[in-house]
Amino acid sequence: MKTAECILTGGLWEGVSHRDWSDWTWQSANRIHTIPQLSKILGKATGNLGDYVHVIRNYPFCVTPYYLSLINLANENDPLRMQCIPDAREIHFSMGGVPDPLEEERDMPVAGLIHRYPDRCLTIVTYTCMTYCRHCNRKRMWKSERPPINRRYLQTMIDYIGEKKTIREVIVSGGDPLTMEEGHLEWFLKSLRSIPHVEVLRVGSRAPVVLPMRVTRDLCSMLRKYRPLWFNTQFNHPHEITRESARACEMLLDAGIPVSNQSVLLRRINDEYETMRELLYGLQRISVRPYYLFQCDPVEGTDHFRTDIATGLKMMEKLWGNMPGLCMPQYVLDAPGRRGKVPLFPSSPMSCMAVGAYGSFQQTH
Ligand SMILES: *Cc1c(COP(=O)(O)O)cnc(C)c1O
Ligand code: SF4
């Protein structure tokens, strides 16, 4: 496992104390988000700065010192670097992607609440993240002016959920809900918990990966009050599994909160069998259950991340043949046009043979 190194290229954090480094408020206050900072970090490796200006104007840039410290910045193809450092292809090579292919905005009965399946809904409680993932499927939201998210806005969602008796699970998402002020988040969870037909809460956050210090004792004791509460995070590459991220997941698990993982299949980041195997083994080692592997949505500004489905299926088939079932995520496509998530299965010679053998076994016994 890698540990965070405080001395980085450009010496940005030389001399910072371990105490500061491990404090999420320090990490948050020292996030990197400007062009001069970026060019200082990248040093000689900086491409055309003008490109970055354009990209960032469209899609803001922000990364925690912690996540940055896991990157070998000299390597342009570093799998973590590609996930957080802006790339000119986000605006130059956009071929045919649309801002909102899943038409989430059309499934919003009230602002910020997506109700696509009768039994569960997803709430967008903030637009802010600790680190902006360049492959984000909601990157449209960073761009446009949005109404501020205040208690009244959240109360409208709570009222809607209270009236819809079919909703038994509420997903608290964003943005990253753990960027919210803790008291505010607790008020929201508590309000949802007080609705009798809401059986289960789910929080989606990338904090364990990009700002693991955010998972504090206080946060865990707050969250545990609202169980059954499931925590979903997003590890995409084995380099993200560090002592710090393992500790964050362990604290949640200790608080009785199951932690699952949703990865996005990303070209040249995790679309090779060996890399994905290492990631899945790593997750099992830290007791995080792989849940979904998402086909990267055709979202504007993410073309260069997309792996084709055939490649994804081939990789899945090899994984199924070699890995324990507990390590296996479901490969899913969030189908454009509001159709929802569809599991993708390899229709392999292997499974045909297995089914054939099963049939002849039944006939002879
Ligand atoms: C993904 C998603 C959910 C949750 O679906 P699960 O299959 O239960 O993980 C709910 N609502 C929306 C709009 C979603 O996109
Ligand atoms: S943490 Fe989630 S919402 Fe935020 S940028 Fe990354 S993928 Fe998007």
Side-chain angles (χ1 to χ4, degrees), residues 58-60 98-108 112 114 116 122 124 127 133-146 174 297 299-302:
N58 277 279
Y59 303 114
V98 293
D100 181 21
L102 310 177
E103 300 183 34
E104 290 189 332
E105 309 280 345
R106 284 178 55 188
D107 278 338
M108 284 188 191
I114 311 170
R116 178 169 298 154
L122 186 146
I124 293 168
Y127 305 123
C133 315
R134 309 320 295 177
H135 56 270
C136 178
N137 67 349
R138 298 211 179 100
K139 68 196 283 181
R140 68 176 189 278
M141 291 194 174
W142 317 342
K143 260 196 190 173
S144 49
E145 283 295 318
R146 302 253 157 193
D297 296 325
V299 167
E300 201 169 70
T302 63

Side-chain angles (χ1 to χ4, degrees), residues 160-311:
Y160 176 86
I161 296 165
E163 279 163 26
K164 287 271 174 219
K165 297 254 177 5
T166 57
I167 299 179
R168 60 173 290 281
E169 174 170 359
V170 179
I171 299 158
V172 181
S173 181
D176 197 315
L178 294 190
T179 59
M180 265 171 114
E181 200 259 301
E182 209 161 297
H184 206 177
L185 175 62
E186 172 157 21
W187 167 81
F188 188 63
L189 295 174
K190 195 178 200 161
S191 311
L192 292 172
R193 186 41 80 226
S194 69
I195 301 172
H197 56 272
V198 174
E199 296 172 11
V200 177
L201 300 176
R202 195 194 305 183
V203 171
S205 164
R206 223 185 165 197
V209 182
V210 297
L211 185 65
M213 312 70 182
R214 178 64 192 89
V215 181
T216 59
R217 239 180 260 276
D218 283 351
L219 178 75
C220 292
S221 19
M222 185 275 274
L223 292 176
R224 71 168 292 132
K225 288 192 261 174
Y226 305 102
R227 288 182 307 157
L229 184 148
W230 294 63
F231 197 99
N232 257 4
T233 190
Q234 187 197 139
F235 285 90
N236 289 326
H237 191 276
H239 289 177
E240 292 167 343
I241 301 176
T242 63
R243 197 181 305 164
E244 291 86 349
S245 61
R247 185 178 155 276
C249 296
E250 178 108 1
M251 286 173 69
L252 291 162
L253 292 163
D254 271 348
I257 298 166
V259 184
S260 310
N261 189 67
Q262 311 191 151
S263 298
V264 185
L265 182 62
L266 298 168
R267 198 163 83 90
R268 297 171 68 196
I269 294 177
N270 62 14
D271 65 346
E272 280 186 11
Y273 168 74
E274 282 77 17
T275 312
M276 186 52 75
R277 183 184 56 182
E278 208 184 316
L279 171 65
L280 299 173
Y281 277 155
L283 291 170
Q284 196 191 26
R285 267 201 309 278
I286 63 169
S287 306
V288 171
R289 177 77 163 98
Y291 175 45
Y292 280 151
L293 172 64
F294 282 113
Q295 173 65 22
C296 188
D297 296 325
V299 167
E300 201 169 70
T302 63
D303 290 336
H304 55 296
F305 285 113
R306 206 157 306 117
T307 300
D308 58 82
I309 293 178
T311 309

Side-chain angles (χ1 to χ4, degrees), residues 4-6 13 15-30 65-66 211-214 216 244 247:
E5 280 300 330
C6 306
W13 298 292
V16 63
S17 68
H18 177 72
R19 194 193 162 117
D20 277 346
W21 184 262
S22 320
D23 177 349
W24 72 268
T25 59
W26 183 91
Q27 287 281 339
S28 189
N30 286 278
Y66 164 80
L211 185 65
M213 312 70 182
R214 178 64 192 89
T216 59
E244 291 86 349
R247 185 178 155 276

